[in-house]
Amino acid sequence: MSTSVNRKEKLSITTHVLDTSRGQPADGLFVCLYKFENNKWISLKESKTDSNGRCGDLLQNMQENPGSGRFKIEFRVNDYFKRIATAFMYPMIDVMFDVQHPNEHYHIPLLLNPFGYTTYRGS
């Protein structure tokens, strides 16, 4: 008879930013994760995309699971486009999303170009 371990998973939030105008990852792009509590945005973590345009778990090393609720990832694209000498329209992009299952993984990719963007829940 085998025994299974009932392990409670933690909420995990990651992102991946691709610059579709260049067909490359957006490296070195600042991102900030917030949670909406008591009618205001609370900063949880600041990070920067790696050379592959990824930010690993933005909740890594947090003592407590922040649970369900409304979250926002703020993508600070201003410095990124200035660094690559590209004219742009949106200096900052906020992507808000609701976490309904606080023990799941939420991957929030951003497909970026100087005059537009799109996002979706990835895997």
Side-chain angles (χ1 to χ4, degrees), residues 1-121:
M1 176 183 255
S2 67
T3 306
S4 65
V5 176
N6 185 8
R7 185 171 75 102
K8 185 176 180 183
E9 296 292 322
K10 282 181 66 175
L11 173 64
S12 149
I13 298 174
T14 59
T15 190
H16 186 199
V17 184
L18 296 172
D19 183 340
T20 59
S21 67
R22 300 185 329 152
Q24 296 179 358
D27 65 318
L29 192 146
F30 284 100
V31 300
C32 298
L33 177 68
Y34 297 87
K35 184 173 184 189
F36 195 68
E37 293 182 339
N38 301 318
N39 292 318
K40 62 183 175 181
W41 289 106
I42 308 299
S43 175
L44 298 178
K45 176 86 177 255
E46 291 189 5
S47 190
K48 189 188 278 192
T49 58
D50 65 15
S51 61
N52 291 316
R54 296 182 181 275
C55 278
D57 189 355
L58 291 168
L59 296 173
Q60 188 173 352
N61 300 325
M62 287 197 69
Q63 299 292 2
E64 290 185 31
N65 186 339
S68 59
R70 183 152 295 158
F71 290 80
K72 169 174 76 171
I73 299 178
E74 178 182 84
F75 296 90
R76 298 181 183 167
V77 301
N78 183 66
D79 292 341
Y80 168 75
F81 282 125
K82 284 184 175 182
R83 179 168 38 93
I84 63 170
T86 301
F88 60 95
M89 183 172 170
Y90 301 102
M92 208 175 312
I93 298 167
D94 289 343
V95 176
M96 289 171 259
F97 57 98
D98 289 334
V99 168
Q100 297 174 352
H101 304 284
N103 299 320
E104 290 185 3
H105 174 70
Y106 285 76
H107 183 61
I108 313 295
L110 182 71
L111 302 177
L112 174 67
N113 72 66
F115 299 100
Y117 61 91
T118 191
T119 186
Y120 57 95
R121 182 175 180 186

